[in-house]
């Protein structure tokens, strides 16, 4: 009889302990489910710091030696035009002096005065503007995107009568570099979106 009572007491204690741990587990599970997922956007406009300008021209004729001599003379005229700006490339100009090259492009009519017609319109020979300083501004943009994501999370937590907890997961999106618009390809718009999961607490 005594043994039966002891077993009953042990069983009751065991059930109480098991109930406590089940409650703790449910509370923990419930807490894990309370997560807010937010995105933070950072944008920046920067001037291009590299330009590639292909100067394309065409000469036609039936006499090959005459055409060869004419092309050489044309090349020398173009080089002479470029040397006024201390640019040493012959046909394709690649430079970090974007504003200077843009000024040269606007003055290329001077070549026309020498009988050299610079052709355009072919997408393979369009002026190309690039921005190569992304690594220099990445930390600043990631910081801004993270701040914007946190501000959204704080607003969500406040609206749901909760407190914002720690970051559970964070994902840095891809940086994109695009022309600001079709008329200003020398101004670049850089974007990054950061996605962050925050825990919510009572």
């Amino acid at each position: 009889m005594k043994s039966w009572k002891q077993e009953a007491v042990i069983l009751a204690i065991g059930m109480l302990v098991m109930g406590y741990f089940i409650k703790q587990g449910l509370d923990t599970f419930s807490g894990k489910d309370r997560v807010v997922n937010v995105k933070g956007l950072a944008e920046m406009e920067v001037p291009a710091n590299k330009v590639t300008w292909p100067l394309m021209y065409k000469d036609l004729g039936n006499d090959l030696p005459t055409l060869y001599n004419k092309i050489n003379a044309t090349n020398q005229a173009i080089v002479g035009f470029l040397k006024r700006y201390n640019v040493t490339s012959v046909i394709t100009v690649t430079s970090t002096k974007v504003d200077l090259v843009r000024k040269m492009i606007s003055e290329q009519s001077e070549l026309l005065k020498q009988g050299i017609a610079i052709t355009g319109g072919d997408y393979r020979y369009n002026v190309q503007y690039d921005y190569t300083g992304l690594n220099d501004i990445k930390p600043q943009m990631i910081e801004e995107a993270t701040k914007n994501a946190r501000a959204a999370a704080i607003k969500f937590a406040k609206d749901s009568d909760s407190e914002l907890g720690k970051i559970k997961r964070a994902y840095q999106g891809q940086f994109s570099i695009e022309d600001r618009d079709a008329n200003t390809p020398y101004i670049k718009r850089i974007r990054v979106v950061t996605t962050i999961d925050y825990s919510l607490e009572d």
Side-chain angles (χ1 to χ4, degrees), residues 1-15:
M1 188 71 175
K2 183 177 180 182
S3 175
W4 180 83
K5 287 183 178 180
Q6 287 177 340
E7 290 177 358
V9 169
I10 291 171
L11 181 61
I13 293 173
M15 292 181 68

Side-chain angles (χ1 to χ4, degrees), residues 113-193:
K113 294 176 183 178
Q114 301 178 49
I116 303 169
I118 302 298
T119 61
D122 191 324
Y123 72 92
R124 292 173 299 172
Y125 302 104
N126 287 337
V127 179
Q128 182 177 333
Y129 297 94
D130 298 296
Y131 181 74
T132 62
L134 184 58
N135 286 337
D136 296 331
I137 63 174
K138 266 186 177 180
Q140 175 186 347
M141 292 194 68
I142 292 172
E143 180 181 356
E144 181 183 348
T146 302
K147 285 181 179 178
N148 291 337
R150 182 172 178 81
I154 290 173
K155 178 70 165 57
F156 183 91
K158 182 179 179 181
D159 292 344
S160 61
D161 294 325
S162 302
E163 294 291 333
L164 193 64
K166 295 181 179 180
I167 293 177
K168 301 194 71 174
R169 285 177 294 273
Y171 312 90
Q172 177 195 309
Q174 293 291 324
F175 280 82
S176 65
I177 304 178
E178 300 174 345
D179 296 346
R180 182 175 66 181
D181 55 62
N183 296 321
T184 55
Y186 47 88
I187 301 294
K188 301 297 180 180
R189 176 178 287 120
I190 304 176
R191 292 166 51 101
V192 65
V193 176

Side-chain angles (χ1 to χ4, degrees), residues 73-122:
T74 301
N75 282 346
Q76 291 175 10
I78 291 175
V79 171
F81 171 74
L82 296 176
K83 279 184 176 177
R84 293 193 304 114
Y85 294 92
N86 296 319
V87 179
T88 58
S89 297
V90 178
I91 298 301
T92 300
V93 178
T94 301
S95 176
T96 57
K97 298 179 180 180
V98 177
D99 291 339
L100 180 58
V101 174
R102 288 185 61 223
K103 184 174 184 292
M104 291 169 60
I105 292 172
S106 68
E107 294 177 356
Q108 62 182 298
S109 57
E110 291 187 20
L111 291 173
L112 188 59
K113 294 176 183 178
Q114 301 178 49
I116 303 169
I118 302 298
T119 61
D122 191 324

